[in-house]
């Protein structure tokens, strides 16, 4: 087998997959630019893992194509794809040392002894595990195992790196360190990377762009800010971050009449009569604003840097509000008024 | 209180289980010319008689290599069979599952008589390979059970990882799957060996004039109660102990395969 | 591995062996029983008093062996499953060592213990408990003792497995609710481990039905079980058709028990 040609663009076109009656992937198309880190974000059962398996070659799609660097790989076996993958549980070979684990892909490619030595120590240095060569995986901590898995996935210069929820088993603190480290490494190597997670916070920290998946289909592909500020639909708005979502109809230019009564001023230029969704992020509320909401506080929580309030509005609707923690925490049962400016409201 | 009663009862039952194994030790070291208990004195004579008798030694060697042959053949056939039964998705898999375990259910006497009839026709009576074949049929279910249990617990993402890293199917098998199954392979191989080494009924029919150790023992017991048997028994118990230690050390836990 | 297409082909070599040297010879031999197109041999096996006695003997012994194995096996399996890991390991050794020791060794040892001049009789006479040796060998008692000893491990292991599966919080809860030890056993342990008891009983019963060595040696020609009869018919009488008919009867009985057992046992939760 020839040496890999380095990082490349990934193109997924119309990939579909069914398991019996269940549609796991519904004609998914996606482009990941060379050197980009794209996160696929979705709840379990959304099809994100199936998509990853199709790219890695562990599942054959019913239709569509997968291209890496312009070359079709849809029916290539996994071994011939030159794709590095970090598994959810790392899948380190328990009977092989750290060094042998990292050398494995190179041996499979018949790389020479001296070259293997050199590249394994480079890879281990890169993940700061120099000196751990002779250990067995079970003698390492979770974070160290993760690093070995990463070194093993990049040591053979893959065209693509796939990360399947790799941080799930780590505690919060370690997870944050590893996230930043993976990000740094990926940038340094300029490696096209797909990262799979169900954790929206993690997605926001790591990615260039996010693809949100649900029910086997991609809901939106956009930059992190775009996904957060301007979600394409209810699902994305609800799944990423905390949100207040209302529905209504554009009643006049710049005004939306909400379904449960009342109206809000917005900056959208959607034509009058359009059915729309209205998203108001909890942290965008202030004490005043062009749109005011008054209601009874039914829950109030002190979160250190902020207060989290739940207000009961008229028409049995609720509003989630986050405010900087200043003054006293409004007591449950008291009344409160909050406001939001039109340009802080997203209409979709 | 009732717990103490249980422990006392179990102590008695364990005594019942171990007594026959223990009683052969003093008898094998007896100085009496015939079976006598308690032994009047100490002597190695029965061990010497065993070692000096070419018939005994012959039978022992034959049993050792037939046992080894059985272990090799049963692994060679049983491991792929276990793979097919655990991982295959073909029509009739559940039926094949039953067929593979049938040699446990079918009484050995029936199998022995049946295969005796066939081998007499094929002129395989008295050959070592005829016995290896017969014993392999009986050892196969053990191998399949142990290997299948190991395979069910196997983390398949390791194989996917190997393939994703560039290993072919055969390289994955050789470098990842089989090395990780080694404890199960060790247990299965040793169990197959012991099952052949101890096997009497089939050997009674197929061995002909070429005695295996159990057949020689059977004939001796039938004819006389000679303490040489006790010496052979002690060695057999020690061998089994060694094998059990080996399984405990290098094999898959026996407690797991008990289930 | 081997998942290409449907994964059948690795089974092929073993399948060839099983068909050529297991299924084929057994079916071939059973065919002898109806040679000439008559069922006379079956009529003889199932109709003549002598042979009915053998069948009844076999059935009776198998039943008694199963019963005794259950009585002895349940406490052992239970204790092993509920004690500390260290004691459990020791318990396992004491069960597995006899299990893997040759049946011949164990049978021989029982001859030494039970014989007219055997260990037990020596002790009984020596201490004046009896004046004459009690016959324990070459009779029903001897066969029973020997077979219970050989088959006991097959009862202990499934019961051990069943007891292990019970969440220890359940009997603890029952005790907390005021149940006595006996009540806990009858109302909690026994119902929850019935699957293992059932599996053990079926296994021991099936193995007893076709048992050869122990009855052949400890029965001394006086206790004839069906396996011994089959062997005699082939090796001494050279009466293949009759041996085949007896084999068929034994095989049908075995499969009948096995199939009925499969029907009644609750399916194990999928692993």
């Amino acid at each position: 087998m020839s040496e890999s040609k380095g990082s490349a663009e990934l193109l997924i076109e119309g990939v579909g997959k069914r398991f019996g009656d269940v549609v796991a992937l519904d004609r998914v198309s996606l482009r990941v630019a060379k050197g980009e880190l794209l996160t696929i974000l979705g709840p379990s059962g959304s099809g994100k893992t199936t998509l990853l398996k199709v790219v890695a070659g562990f599942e054959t799609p019913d239709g569509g194509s997968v291209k890496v660097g312009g070359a079709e790989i849809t029916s290539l076996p996994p071994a011939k794809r030159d794709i590095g993958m970090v598994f959810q549980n790392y899948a380190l070979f328990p009977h092989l040392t750290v060094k042998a684990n990292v050398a494995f892909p190179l041996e499979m490619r018949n790389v020479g002894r001296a070259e293997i030595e050199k590249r394994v120590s480079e890879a281990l240095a890169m993940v700061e595990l120099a000196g751990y060569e002779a250990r067995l995986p079970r003698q390492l901590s979770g974070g160290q195992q993760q690093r070995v898995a990463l070194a093993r996935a990049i040591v053979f210069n893959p065209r693509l790196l796939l990360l399947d929820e790799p941080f799930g088993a780590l505690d919060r603190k370690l997870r944050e360190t590893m996230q930043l480290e993976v990000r740094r490494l990926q940038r340094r190597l300029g490696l096209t990377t797909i990262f799979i997670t169900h954790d929206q916070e993690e997605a926001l920290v790591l990615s260039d762009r996010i693809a949100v998946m649900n029910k086997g289909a991609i809901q939106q592909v956009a930059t992190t800010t775009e996904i957060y500020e301007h979600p394409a639909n209810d699902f994305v708005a609800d799944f990423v971050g905390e949100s207040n979502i209302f529905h209504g109809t554009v009643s006049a230019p710049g005004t939306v009449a909400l379904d449960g009564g009342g109206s809000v001023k917005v900056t959208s230029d959607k034509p009058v009569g359009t059915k729309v969704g209205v998203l108001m992020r909890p942290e965008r509320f202030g004490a005043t604003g062009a749109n005011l909401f008054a209601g009874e506080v039914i829950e109030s929580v002190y979160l250190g840097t902020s207060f989290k309030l739940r207000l009961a509005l008229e028409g049995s609707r609720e509003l989630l509000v986050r405010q900087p923690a200043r003054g006293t925490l409004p007591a449950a049962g008291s009344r409160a008024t909050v406001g939001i400016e039109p340009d802080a409201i997203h209409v979709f | 209180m009732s717990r103490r009663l249980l422990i006392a009862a179990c102590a008695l039952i364990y005594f019942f289980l171990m007594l026959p194994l223990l009683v052969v030790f003093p008898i094998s070291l007896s100085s009496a010319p015939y079976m006598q208990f308690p032994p009047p004195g100490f002597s190695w004579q029965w061990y010497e008689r065993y070692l000096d008798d070419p018939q005994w030694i012959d039978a022992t060697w034959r049993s050792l290599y037939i046992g080894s042959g059985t272990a090799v053949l049963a692994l060679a056939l049983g491991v792929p069979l276990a793979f097919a039964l655990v991982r295959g998705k073909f029509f009739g898999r559940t039926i094949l599952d039953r067929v593979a375990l049938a040699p446990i259910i079918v009484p050995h006497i029936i199998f022995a008589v049946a295969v005796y009839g066939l081998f007499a026709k094929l002129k395989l009576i008295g050959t070592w390979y005829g016995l290896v074949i017969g014993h392999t049929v009986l050892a196969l279910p053990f191998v399949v059970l142990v290997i299948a249990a190991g395979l069910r617990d196997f983390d398949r993402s390791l194989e996917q990882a190997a393939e994703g890293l560039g290993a072919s199917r055969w390289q994955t098998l050789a470098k990842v799957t089989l090395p990780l199954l080694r404890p199960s392979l060790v247990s299965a191989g040793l169990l197959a060996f012991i099952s052949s080494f101890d096997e009497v009924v089939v050997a009674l029919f197929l061995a002909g004039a070429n005695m295996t150790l159990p057949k020689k023992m059977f004939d001796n017991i039938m004819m006389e109660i000679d303490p040489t048997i006790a010496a052979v028994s002690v060695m057999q118990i020690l061998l089994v102990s060694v094998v059990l230690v080996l399984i405990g050390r290098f094999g898959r836990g026996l407690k797991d395969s008990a289930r | 591995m081997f998942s290409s297409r449907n994964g059948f082909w690795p089974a092929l070599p073993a399948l060839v062996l099983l068909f050529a040297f297991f299924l084929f010879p057994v079916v071939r031999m059973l065919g002898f029983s109806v040679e000439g197109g008559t069922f006379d041999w079956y009529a003889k096996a199932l109709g003549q008093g002598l042979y009915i006695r053998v069948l009844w003997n076999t059935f009776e012994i198998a039943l008694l062996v199963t019963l005794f194995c259950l009585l002895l096996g349940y406490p052992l399996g239970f204790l092993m499953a509920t004690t500390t890991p260290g004691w459990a390991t020791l318990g396992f050794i004491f069960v597995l060592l006899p299990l893997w020791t040759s049946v011949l060794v164990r049978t021989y040892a029982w001859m030494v213990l039970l014989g007219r001049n055997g260990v037990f009789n020596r002790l009984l006479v020596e201490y004046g408990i009896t004046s004459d040796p009690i016959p324990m060998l070459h009779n029903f008692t001897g066969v029973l003792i020997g077979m219970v000893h050989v088959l006991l491990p097959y009862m202990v292991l499934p019961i051990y497995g069943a007891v292990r599966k019970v969440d220890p919080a359940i009997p603890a809860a029952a005790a907390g609710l005021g149940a006595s030890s006996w009540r806990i056993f009858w109302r909690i342990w026994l119902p929850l481990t019935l699957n293992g008891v059932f599996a053990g009983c079926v296994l021991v019963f099936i193995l007893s039905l076709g048992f050869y060595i122990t009855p052949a040696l400890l029965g001394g020609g006086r206790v004839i079980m069906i396996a011994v009869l089959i062997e005699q018919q082939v090796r001494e009488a050279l009466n293949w058709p009759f041996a085949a008919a007896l084999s068929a009867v034994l095989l049908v009985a075995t499969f009948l028990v096995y199939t009925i057992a499969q029907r009644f046992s609750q399916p194990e939760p999928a692993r």
Side-chain angles (χ1 to χ4, degrees):
Chain A
M1 186 177 295
S2 66
E3 266 294 277
S4 71
K5 292 149 235 140
S7 182
E9 175 195 71
L10 169 71
L11 200 60
I12 298 170
E13 281 174 330
V15 163
K17 180 81 190 172
R18 290 169 150 274
F19 295 110
D21 289 342
V22 184
V23 179
L25 293 176
D26 186 9
R27 272 165 293 138
V28 171
S29 295
L30 189 64
R31 198 187 81 91
V32 188
K34 182 174 168 178
E36 183 187 21
L37 192 155
L38 178 115
T39 296
I40 300 178
L41 174 66
S44 59
S46 60
K48 57 188 197 302
T49 302
T50 309
L51 185 61
L52 198 75
K53 282 184 171 169
V54 166
V55 173
F58 301 129
E59 292 287 359
T60 318
D62 301 333
S65 76
V66 181
K67 287 179 187 151
V68 174
E72 169 98 30
I73 60 163
T74 320
S75 52
L76 228 51
K80 299 256 156 95
R81 294 193 178 203
D82 268 341
I83 293 176
M85 179 157 171
V86 176
F87 288 72
Q88 214 163 354
N89 59 356
Y90 317 140
L92 295 179
F93 304 130
H95 60 304
L96 299 180
T97 61
V98 167
K99 186 176 168 182
N101 261 286
V102 179
F104 190 91
L106 299 175
E107 279 167 15
M108 293 304 123
R109 287 169 174 74
N110 296 319
V111 177
R113 270 278 135 220
E115 177 73 8
I116 289 181
E117 290 283 334
K118 185 173 140 258
R119 282 169 63 179
V120 168
S121 27
E122 273 172 18
L124 285 176
M126 218 180 298
V127 296
E128 289 162 12
L129 276 180
Y132 287 83
E133 285 83 354
R135 303 260 191 114
L136 286 171
R138 63 167 174 273
Q139 296 167 317
L140 301 178
S141 71
Q144 289 168 333
Q145 291 183 13
Q146 163 103 76
R147 286 160 202 255
V148 176
L150 198 60
R152 189 178 69 175
I154 59 174
V155 71
F156 59 103
N157 243 333
R159 319 208 66 193
L160 213 60
L161 178 63
L162 306 180
L163 306 167
D164 183 7
E165 307 221 10
F167 307 120
L170 304 179
D171 64 55
R172 194 183 169 84
K173 213 152 192 135
L174 190 55
R175 188 186 314 190
E176 282 168 8
T177 324
M178 284 307 298
Q179 283 167 359
L180 294 175
E181 209 164 307
V182 165
R183 187 67 174 128
R184 183 178 55 78
L185 201 65
Q186 183 267 337
R187 284 230 174 94
R188 194 170 132 199
L189 298 170
L191 198 52
T192 315
T193 302
I194 295 185
F195 172 70
I196 283 215
T197 186
H198 64 267
D199 180 341
Q200 40 102 7
E201 222 172 292
E202 195 166 82
L204 294 175
V205 173
L206 269 172
S207 348
D208 295 321
R209 288 193 303 153
I210 296 177
V212 180
M213 277 192 87
N214 189 38
K215 293 183 176 159
I218 291 185
Q219 306 293 319
Q220 186 177 10
V221 189
T223 61
T224 49
T225 41
E226 191 70 13
I227 291 271
Y228 190 77
E229 305 283 347
H230 303 296
N233 56 33
D234 273 25
F235 179 80
V236 178
D238 190 38
F239 192 70
V240 181
E242 292 176 326
S243 53
N244 298 290
I245 302 167
F246 298 108
H247 295 97
T249 316
V250 179
S251 57
T255 305
V256 174
L258 300 179
D259 286 349
S263 68
V264 286
K265 291 194 169 58
V266 298
T267 55
S268 160
D269 51 6
K270 292 232 158 90
V272 172
T274 320
K275 291 262 177 205
V276 292
V278 173
L279 166 69
M280 293 177 276
R281 294 289 183 194
E283 71 277 10
R284 302 302 293 267
F285 287 92
T288 58
N291 300 298
L292 290 176
F293 295 91
E296 186 190 342
V297 177
I298 49 175
E299 195 184 315
S300 64
V301 186
Y302 174 66
L303 291 169
T305 54
S306 64
F307 295 148
K308 186 167 155 182
L309 307 177
R310 220 140 54 84
L311 301 184
L313 305 180
E314 59 193 85
S316 72
R317 284 175 297 180
E318 286 184 7
L319 195 68
L320 192 65
V321 178
R322 260 179 199 270
Q323 289 184 327
R326 250 173 278 143
T328 49
L329 180 68
S334 65
R335 288 195 67 82
T337 304
V338 293
I340 188 165
E341 296 298 340
D343 62 359
I345 299 177
H346 172 56
V347 178
F348 54 94
Chain B
M1 182 55 218
S2 50
R3 183 88 188 164
R4 249 182 240 168
L5 204 69
L6 174 70
I7 291 173
C10 285
L12 280 175
I13 301 167
Y14 276 127
F15 180 70
F16 167 71
L17 270 171
M18 290 303 288
L19 180 65
L21 273 61
L22 298 174
V23 77
V24 293
F25 280 79
I27 291 170
S28 73
L29 295 166
S30 167
S31 61
Y34 51 89
M35 221 297 289
Q36 196 181 331
F37 197 90
F42 174 88
S43 134
W44 288 108
Q45 60 174 320
W46 305 114
Y47 291 89
E48 280 160 14
R49 187 178 285 199
Y50 163 79
L51 290 169
D52 289 342
D53 184 342
Q55 271 193 17
W56 277 114
I57 300 301
D58 227 41
T60 308
W61 278 118
R62 195 168 291 113
S63 279
L64 283 174
Y65 67 67
I66 287 172
S68 309
T70 300
V72 170
L73 188 60
L75 281 180
L77 299 175
V79 172
L81 178 58
F83 269 91
L85 290 176
V86 174
R87 296 186 170 181
K89 290 187 181 71
F90 48 87
F91 176 75
R93 197 172 56 91
T94 41
I95 297 171
L96 186 56
D97 214 40
R98 294 279 166 87
V99 172
L101 299 183
I104 293 184
I105 309 293
V106 172
H108 285 191
I109 187 74
I110 294 182
F111 170 64
V113 167
V115 86
Y116 171 64
L118 180 69
F119 280 15
K121 263 235 145 65
L122 300 175
K123 306 254 181 299
L124 285 173
I125 304 295
T127 62
W128 64 270
Y129 42 90
L131 263 174
V132 167
I133 291 172
H135 284 173
T136 299
V137 169
L138 294 180
L140 210 54
F142 292 114
V143 172
V144 169
L145 283 175
V146 172
I147 302 291
L151 272 178
R152 277 192 206 99
D153 293 349
F154 193 87
D155 177 6
R156 296 202 71 178
S157 70
L158 293 172
E159 290 173 344
Q160 291 194 337
E163 285 183 39
L165 293 169
S168 68
R169 283 171 181 277
W170 289 109
Q171 281 174 315
T172 304
L173 185 67
K175 299 216 166 215
V176 176
T177 314
L178 290 182
L180 286 172
L181 276 181
R182 195 167 64 194
S184 299
L185 293 169
V186 168
S187 294
L190 288 172
L191 291 187
F193 172 82
I194 282 291
S195 76
S196 160
F197 191 78
D198 284 354
E199 205 287 328
V200 206
V201 183
V202 170
L204 230 44
F205 284 89
L206 297 189
N210 296 317
M211 293 277 183
T212 64
L213 190 61
K215 186 178 184 208
K216 170 92 177 137
M217 287 169 76
F218 185 88
D219 289 355
N220 270 45
I221 295 173
M222 275 300 221
M223 282 182 287
E224 57 195 314
I225 295 195
D226 172 351
T228 313
I229 298 281
V232 178
S233 296
V234 166
M235 286 184 281
Q236 209 268 349
I237 292 168
L238 293 180
L239 180 83
V240 168
S241 310
V242 169
V243 168
L244 282 180
V245 168
L246 286 179
I247 290 178
R249 191 91 178 65
F250 302 107
R252 201 177 132 89
L254 282 165
K255 285 185 211 174
D256 301 329
S257 44
R259 265 170 257 164
Chain C
M1 214 22 45
F2 294 131
S3 52
S4 60
R5 267 166 258 148
N6 56 17
F8 169 73
W9 68 264
L12 199 60
L15 211 55
V16 168
L17 177 95
L18 285 174
F19 269 95
F21 297 113
F22 179 68
L23 293 179
F24 171 67
V26 169
V27 171
R28 175 179 174 272
M29 193 245 325
L30 295 179
F32 296 154
S33 66
V34 287
E35 233 167 35
T38 72
F39 287 92
D40 292 355
W41 295 110
Y42 287 97
K44 182 175 175 187
L46 299 169
Q48 282 190 14
L50 176 64
Y51 302 118
I52 292 174
R53 270 277 307 284
V54 171
L55 293 180
W56 174 244
N57 250 349
T58 307
F59 183 76
E60 193 184 2
I61 290 175
L63 213 57
L64 282 172
V65 167
T66 308
L67 184 68
F68 280 112
C69 279
L70 178 60
L71 288 178
L72 300 181
Y74 199 98
L76 272 200
F78 184 87
L79 184 71
M80 273 158 59
T82 53
T83 186
T84 60
W87 284 109
T89 304
L90 192 69
F92 253 95
I93 293 171
F94 285 166
V95 172
L96 291 178
L97 200 57
L99 175 62
W100 287 104
T101 299
S102 167
V103 177
L104 281 176
V105 171
R106 293 187 273 168
T107 304
Y108 164 75
W110 280 114
M111 295 171 83
V112 169
L113 287 164
L114 301 175
R116 197 179 155 73
N117 292 310
V119 177
F120 286 161
N121 272 326
R122 285 290 174 115
L123 293 176
L124 289 177
V125 174
E126 192 130 323
Y127 289 100
I129 297 166
T130 56
S131 49
D132 289 318
I134 301 171
M136 291 181 277
L137 195 60
H138 303 314
N139 61 16
F140 199 81
T141 318
V143 172
L144 208 56
I145 292 175
M147 282 180 67
V148 168
H149 182 259
V150 169
L151 294 171
L152 184 52
Y154 294 98
M155 184 67 86
V156 174
L157 296 178
I159 289 176
Y160 165 84
V163 176
R164 274 310 291 263
K165 280 202 193 104
V166 176
D167 181 351
I170 296 170
L177 294 170
S180 68
S181 307
W182 273 113
R183 284 257 174 115
I184 293 174
F185 176 76
W186 286 109
R187 300 287 298 274
I188 309 284
W189 284 113
L190 199 59
L192 287 178
T193 53
L194 221 50
N195 252 356
V197 168
F198 196 65
C201 287
V202 169
L203 188 61
V204 169
F205 188 78
I206 285 178
L207 291 174
S208 308
L209 280 183
F211 223 65
Y212 170 72
I213 297 162
T214 308
L217 291 176
L218 296 182
R222 254 166 281 175
V223 183
I224 310 280
M225 287 179 73
I226 187 164
V228 179
L229 187 60
I230 292 173
E231 190 265 352
Q232 286 175 354
Q233 290 303 318
V234 170
R235 300 233 295 187
E236 284 159 34
L238 297 176
N239 190 344
W240 278 89
F242 189 42
L246 289 168
S247 296
V249 170
L250 174 55
L251 204 56
V252 167
T254 305
F255 273 107
L256 216 59
V257 173
Y258 182 71
T259 312
I260 292 171
Q262 292 263 309
R263 273 244 99 130
F264 281 91
S265 68
Q266 290 157 22
E268 293 269 319
R271 279 201 283 183

